[in-house]
Amino acid sequence: MKTNIKHSPRYLAVKLLDRVADSGSYANITLDQTIEKEQLQPADASLLTNLVYGVIQRQLTLDFYLKPFIKKPQRLERWARQNLRVAVYQMVYLDKIPNRAIFYEATEIAKKMGNRGVAGLMTAILRQIERQGVPQLTTISEPLKRLSISASVPEWLVAKLIDQLGEKKTEAILQTINQPAAASIRVNTAIATVDEVQAELAELGLETTPSELSPVGLVRQGGFLAGTTAFAYGQYTVQDESSMLVAASMQIEPQHQVLDACAAPGGKTTHIASYLSAEAGGHVEAFDLHPHKVKLIKDNAKRLHVADVVNARAFDARKLRDVVANKSFDRVLVDAPCSGLGLMRRKPEIKYTRQPEDLLNLQKIQLEILDSVAIKVKPGGILTYSTCTIVNEENQDVIKQFLAKHAEFEPIPVHTDKALKVATTPYLRLYPDDYGTDGFFICNLKRKTR
């Protein structure tokens, strides 16, 4: 057996996992860059994706499996641990790859990235695991630790979810987040119908189903949907179904003036813009803290043919006092910077990098942004607060503190275009197990007229 090991999915997986662990970058972005750079065939791209997501999603479980077999863990280099995780992931979770292929490539990777001594150690560990089998999760006596290791979610986060949501709901969420995330798109109904886009994708072998959450959404289990001509022409954009609920909830009319305070990369901005009419005077003012991300908003607006109603600028949403006039917007959106814990399936590294103290630090920023933009809402206008996290500290606790300080606002039901099985009053909380989407929170606050 002879392969160009440096271009194999397993070698690339080990390199990519090592880079993500070292730099803290998002795996999905690094993965897309690697697939494009290496020009991988679909089968190899699929295996690389499976290995990268699988190892990150199951990292704590894999380390539990490996622990009895690594005698001196402090001497094991990071890349070598990733190599073992990739190998054990294949042995435990993938049933079509023979152990001999796994052992061979793990050894070759070790020779390439280390030396023959490390390669020998890798082989010895894997042979031992093959003979003895991995330890059983049922041997973990402490229930919280067992749930944490089984789902590969840090104990502090499991404990918090149980405290806030109860054991049954937490277990349902944890069972969901290690399943592959579906791909979803929002059709740009200004230039194409949902049926037209669905038929066009089907001709390319990309079968989709209608979204349960949005009338303009289509869903597909896996697959890369941003590489089609229809995407390039702006007939649709890639957006999670839960995220599509935000603009729909704002009840935007064609002539409305809208402020999007934290807009990049522009998915919700362009959705907001789809409800506006330049002829009627409709307009969305989009801000983002990072100048390099403003270009993403502009590019998305141009591709989706809504640039005539979008003005994107770089500015800190906490300092908008003199940038836009007070009480001048019919709708204001604060899609707040958050921990992203609702994205644990799509960005599994988040669950390991977040710490408990992050939640209150982010809460402070979220309240500062809301305080800054509240005065910009017209009397009778709506302030929409949304996050992609599922913990109270960044959701209902923020709303409670904001309302305690701003009696001029009151919560109103969250409008949805389709009837949902979750409550929409006084806010909408969507968890990954409800519809297989990202976790999301939306609250609409109406400014009183007197």
Side-chain angles (χ1 to χ4, degrees):
M1 187 185 303
K2 189 169 183 177
T3 60
N4 188 345
I5 193 69
K6 290 186 74 173
H7 300 285
S8 75
R10 295 175 182 85
Y11 178 87
L12 294 172
V14 173
K15 292 282 285 185
L16 196 156
L17 289 164
D18 191 42
R19 194 186 324 158
V20 169
D22 182 43
S23 67
S25 57
Y26 285 129
N28 60 335
I29 296 172
T30 312
L31 182 61
D32 287 346
Q33 291 170 343
T34 302
I35 291 172
E36 185 176 352
K37 181 183 175 186
E38 295 289 330
Q39 298 184 317
L40 295 180
Q41 294 299 310
D44 284 347
S46 176
L47 177 57
L48 174 63
T49 303
N50 189 332
L51 295 176
V52 169
Y53 273 94
V55 167
I56 297 178
Q57 284 171 333
R58 305 283 184 180
Q59 184 172 303
L60 298 185
T61 315
L62 292 170
D63 286 350
F64 172 78
Y65 289 154
L66 279 165
K67 189 175 181 180
F69 303 98
I70 302 176
K71 304 305 178 191
K72 297 178 180 177
Q74 72 281 5
R75 295 177 62 178
L76 196 65
E77 291 188 62
R78 193 179 55 227
W79 70 264
R81 181 176 289 278
Q82 299 291 8
N83 193 23
L84 286 170
R85 285 170 177 163
V86 169
V88 174
Y89 172 74
Q90 295 171 85
M91 294 169 70
V92 175
Y93 296 103
L94 304 185
D95 54 10
K96 294 183 179 176
I97 304 177
N99 281 354
R100 65 177 183 281
I102 297 170
F103 293 179
Y104 173 79
E105 287 220 17
T107 305
E108 292 301 304
I109 291 167
K111 289 178 185 173
K112 187 66 67 177
M113 299 182 71
N115 54 50
R116 287 191 173 276
V118 180
L121 176 64
M122 299 280 111
T123 305
I125 290 173
L126 294 176
R127 292 287 183 203
Q128 199 175 1
I129 292 173
E130 184 181 43
R131 286 194 300 272
Q132 298 181 19
V134 295
Q136 297 299 305
L137 294 165
T138 52
T139 60
I140 305 172
S141 57
E142 206 282 307
L144 180 62
K145 185 174 183 180
R146 185 168 59 247
L147 192 54
S148 165
I149 297 295
S150 301
S152 198
V153 174
E155 279 189 51
W156 74 266
L157 182 52
V158 176
K160 180 172 289 297
L161 292 176
I162 290 175
D163 179 56
Q164 296 184 354
L165 303 174
E167 196 166 331
K168 186 177 178 182
K169 182 67 174 175
T170 299
E171 288 183 359
I173 293 171
L174 297 182
Q175 286 173 7
T176 305
I177 60 171
N178 287 328
Q179 297 171 7
S184 58
I185 60 172
R186 172 173 58 81
V187 175
N188 182 6
T189 53
I191 61 171
T193 68
V194 173
D195 289 344
E196 286 170 347
V197 170
Q198 188 172 28
E200 203 165 332
L201 290 174
E203 287 181 8
L204 300 173
L206 299 169
E207 301 290 345
T208 57
T209 56
S211 165
E212 291 184 72
L213 302 184
S214 170
V216 295
L218 292 171
V219 182
R220 175 178 167 78
Q221 290 301 320
F224 183 62
L225 296 173
T228 69
T229 303
F231 176 84
Y233 285 170
Q235 290 184 325
Y236 66 84
T237 194
V238 177
Q239 187 173 8
D240 190 74
E241 294 171 272
S242 56
S243 174
M244 296 179 208
L245 295 171
V246 176
S249 81
M250 296 170 70
Q251 303 176 63
I252 298 166
E253 298 175 13
Q255 76 283 4
H256 273 168
Q257 304 302 301
V258 184
L259 170 63
D260 187 353
C262 311
K268 298 179 191 67
T269 307
T270 53
H271 196 184
I272 289 168
S274 72
Y275 293 94
L276 301 173
S277 162
E279 289 75 20
H283 173 255
V284 54
E285 198 72 30
F287 291 96
D288 196 85
L289 178 62
H290 306 289
H292 68 282
K293 292 186 176 179
V294 171
K295 184 176 184 305
L296 296 175
I297 303 171
K298 292 179 177 177
D299 289 347
N300 273 322
K302 186 176 180 182
R303 183 176 62 82
L304 292 164
H305 311 277
V306 292
D308 59 340
V309 293
V310 174
N311 182 35
R313 288 188 274 172
F315 215 88
D316 188 336
R318 294 169 292 185
K319 300 174 182 177
L320 290 176
R321 179 190 300 271
D322 300 320
V323 179
V324 292
N326 293 342
K327 300 181 181 178
S328 59
F329 291 94
D330 301 283
R331 302 287 184 267
V332 172
L333 171 62
V334 174
D335 186 47
C338 68
S339 63
L341 291 171
L343 310 177
M344 285 190 283
R345 176 160 45 185
R346 203 175 301 279
K347 298 178 179 176
E349 61 274 20
I350 281 177
K351 58 190 178 184
Y352 310 119
T353 56
R354 290 300 182 193
Q355 300 300 321
E357 57 269 25
D358 293 340
L359 307 183
L360 292 180
N361 291 336
L362 286 161
Q363 182 190 82
K364 181 172 179 290
I365 295 170
Q366 291 152 359
L367 283 165
E368 287 175 356
I369 295 172
L370 283 172
D371 282 341
S372 169
V373 303
I375 191 61
K376 309 302 177 186
V377 184
K378 288 180 182 176
I382 296 174
L383 169 59
T384 297
Y385 176 77
S386 65
T387 72
C388 54
T389 188
I390 55 175
V391 293
N392 294 352
E393 287 86 343
E394 302 176 82
N395 294 335
Q396 50 263 58
D397 290 358
V398 170
I399 297 301
K400 184 178 179 182
Q401 291 184 54
F402 176 79
L403 288 175
K405 190 176 175 182
H406 293 273
E408 72 274 24
F409 283 91
E410 58 185 352
I412 59 173
V414 176
H415 169 81
T416 58
D417 290 335
K418 286 190 170 185
L420 304 185
K421 62 184 178 184
V422 299
T424 55
T425 303
Y427 34 69
L428 188 158
R429 292 184 298 172
L430 203 63
Y431 295 97
D433 63 309
D434 291 326
Y435 286 94
T437 66
D438 295 339
F440 226 84
F441 178 86
I442 303 172
C443 182
N444 283 343
L445 303 163
K446 186 172 184 177
R447 188 185 185 100
K448 299 172 184 173
T449 53
R450 64 174 65 184

